[in-house]
Amino acid sequence: MEPQLHTLTITFMLIMFILPIAEPQSVLNIPDITQARVLDDIIQEYAYHVFDNPNNPKTGVVYDGIAPKNLTGIRISGLRLRTGSLFTRGVPMYKEFRIPIGVVVQPYVERLVLVYQNLGNRSNGYYPLPGYMYLAPVLGLLAYNGTDLSVKSRTELDLQASDEPIQIEFGSVKPAPGGSGSNPMCVWVDLHGQVNFTNVVDGNRCLAFKQGHFSIVVKDIVKRDKHGGIDSRVWAIVVYVVGGCVLLVMLAVLVVLIRGCKKRKTTRKMERAAEGGEPLHMTMIGGVKAPAAMVTRTQPTLETEYVP
Ligand SMILES: *[C@@H]1O[C@H](CO)[C@@H](O)[C@H](O)[C@H]1NC(C)=O
Ligand SMILES: *[C@@H]1O[C@H](CO)[C@@H](O)[C@H](O)[C@H]1NC(C)=O
Ligand SMILES: *[C@@H]1O[C@H](CO)[C@@H](O)[C@H](O)[C@H]1NC(C)=O
Ligand SMILES: *[C@@H]1O[C@H](CO)[C@@H](O)[C@H](O)[C@H]1NC(C)=O
């Protein structure tokens, strides 16, 4: 084979074999996080409505909000705190969340509002995780500037636990379908849609150090059974390898055909040259020595005008 074709083939093979191995190491992200972020803004708006009630401005008290009609099934709460109190006392119980002492927010604000979300039956709609199944609703905990409740633009705050993690105790975790095989895992989706998995603690608790959305998931067994129980990743590799082999064979056939064609052309030229009795000028064409004529020896004439 010619050197260029060698290089081409090797590059091709490398691509074919590296692709399926490199792919599963990529970071898992929620496909469309903007939609979920728009929902965060809507929920924040509705959570702040609880403080419109003149009887509700107390700090340290959890108030339940009412979701808009087009978002029924979602539960909303708001809790207003002094930042100093959050740090020194934490929040022993805020719905499913237990916030330890030592939590700090950035940038610094005097008071903050912790917005709670329970996405209920809309969890999978806003946080689709291909290949996984939710065993609990997606719960959100987000922090906003709560210094002045009448201000409409509220900075989203970065919340960070220091020594002790925030605990999330899921009330009812569905049993994993199929039972054995894959274990339930805690999932945390940060505000950029990046997904992180951690172990479940005591069957229904997850630990976290930052704000975001949390749930318990299990690998989706139903999807894997479509291919006879084999992981789809294995199938991807099989498809790549078989596809690569087929393409290689096709490439090889193509090379053989091209070389055969060139040889025939060369032979014909050589024969013609031999008949003319003229010495051949040799030149390199694509790494193959081939005869070449420097000047046109006979002017081309139409066959009908040709008289021997
Ligand atoms: C629900 O309706 C409000 C207006 O009442 C709209 O702003 C919002 O985008 C809608 N949300 C969804 C998810 O359709
Ligand atoms: C979720 O449940 C509510 C009732 O609680 C229903 O109105 C809504 O249509 C459901 N949404 C989805 C996406 O299933
Ligand atoms: C928080 O809100 C108060 C009152 O509106 C404002 O003065 C302050 O600059 C805000 N802080 C941040 C970090 O957004
Ligand atoms: C998310 O998980 C990855 C891999 O397990 C880890 O390297 C990364 O630090 C995690 N991110 C955070 C913010 O904890």
Side-chain angles (χ1 to χ4, degrees):
M1 242 188 254
E2 291 162 32
Q4 290 101 316
L5 280 172
H6 260 302
T7 322
L8 195 75
T9 313
I10 288 165
T11 314
F12 189 71
M13 280 174 79
L14 279 179
I15 289 170
M16 279 301 146
F17 285 92
I18 285 170
L19 264 186
I21 295 160
E23 185 250 350
Q25 287 174 348
S26 61
V27 188
L28 188 57
N29 279 291
I30 294 295
D32 182 16
I33 193 64
T34 33
Q35 191 202 7
R37 297 295 286 149
V38 169
L39 180 70
D40 285 344
D41 284 345
I42 295 170
I43 290 178
Q44 178 239 144
E45 197 65 44
Y46 279 81
Y48 270 74
H49 285 338
V50 301
F51 304 112
D52 292 345
N53 185 331
N55 300 319
N56 280 358
K58 291 197 199 99
T59 54
V61 177
V62 176
Y63 296 112
D64 290 337
I66 298 157
K69 284 213 171 64
N70 56 5
L71 291 174
T72 48
I74 292 179
R75 280 189 280 151
I76 296 170
S77 295
L79 168 63
R80 192 176 178 218
L81 294 168
R82 287 182 159 275
T83 303
S85 153
L86 175 69
F87 181 79
T88 54
R89 286 193 274 174
V91 185
M93 205 173 78
Y94 182 23
K95 303 290 175 183
E96 288 90 342
F97 292 87
R98 201 191 75 75
I99 301 166
I101 59 165
V103 170
V104 289
V105 292
Q106 267 195 324
Y108 175 81
V109 291
E110 199 183 321
R111 287 161 197 261
L112 78 157
V113 170
L114 289 176
V115 171
Y116 164 88
Q117 321 177 343
N118 181 332
L119 299 191
N121 61 355
R122 296 180 194 262
S123 298
N124 201 50
Y126 283 98
Y127 290 88
L129 264 182
Y132 295 88
M133 176 189 262
Y134 282 107
L135 301 180
V138 168
L139 304 179
L141 181 71
L142 301 176
Y144 298 91
N145 188 358
T147 306
D148 185 349
L149 292 174
S150 62
V151 172
K152 286 294 169 212
S153 76
R154 298 140 189 152
T155 313
E156 201 170 43
L157 307 172
D158 186 55
L159 187 144
Q160 175 82 51
S162 39
D163 301 336
E164 249 190 284
I166 297 163
Q167 285 189 28
I168 308 129
E169 186 169 339
F170 290 88
S172 59
V173 180
K174 280 189 267 175
S180 64
S182 42
N183 289 323
M185 281 173 293
C186 286
V187 62
W188 164 49
V189 183
D190 73 11
L191 299 182
H192 309 289
Q194 192 179 317
V195 178
N196 260 55
F197 295 102
T198 54
N199 291 328
V200 178
V201 181
D202 300 334
N204 71 338
R205 282 192 294 139
C206 294
L207 306 179
F209 283 90
K210 290 185 81 70
Q211 77 278 30
H213 293 82
F214 309 89
S215 190
I216 294 178
V217 294
V218 72
K219 277 228 167 119
D220 201 339
I221 292 157
V222 180
K223 268 194 188 136
R224 286 196 293 160
D225 274 351
K226 267 192 218 155
H227 301 295
I230 301 172
D231 197 289
S232 58
R233 238 184 255 171
V234 176
W235 274 104
I237 293 171
V238 168
V239 167
Y240 267 113
V241 170
V242 170
C245 286
V246 167
L247 279 171
L248 273 185
V249 168
M250 281 168 71
L251 204 67
V253 168
L254 200 71
V255 167
V256 168
L257 283 178
I258 289 169
R259 294 189 73 200
C261 215
K262 259 190 194 160
K263 231 181 221 164
R264 246 177 286 138
K265 251 191 209 162
T266 314
T267 321
R268 235 181 287 142
K269 262 191 193 160
M270 278 175 166
E271 279 167 4
R272 246 185 279 148
E275 280 161 18
E278 237 181 70
L280 281 168
H281 297 276
M282 298 304 278
T283 184
M284 294 293 283
I285 298 171
V288 171
K289 240 186 192 181
M294 299 312 279
V295 277
T296 314
R297 280 170 279 119
T298 30
Q299 290 301 320
T301 46
L302 286 174
E303 239 166 85
T304 45
E305 292 168 358
Y306 180 71
V307 183

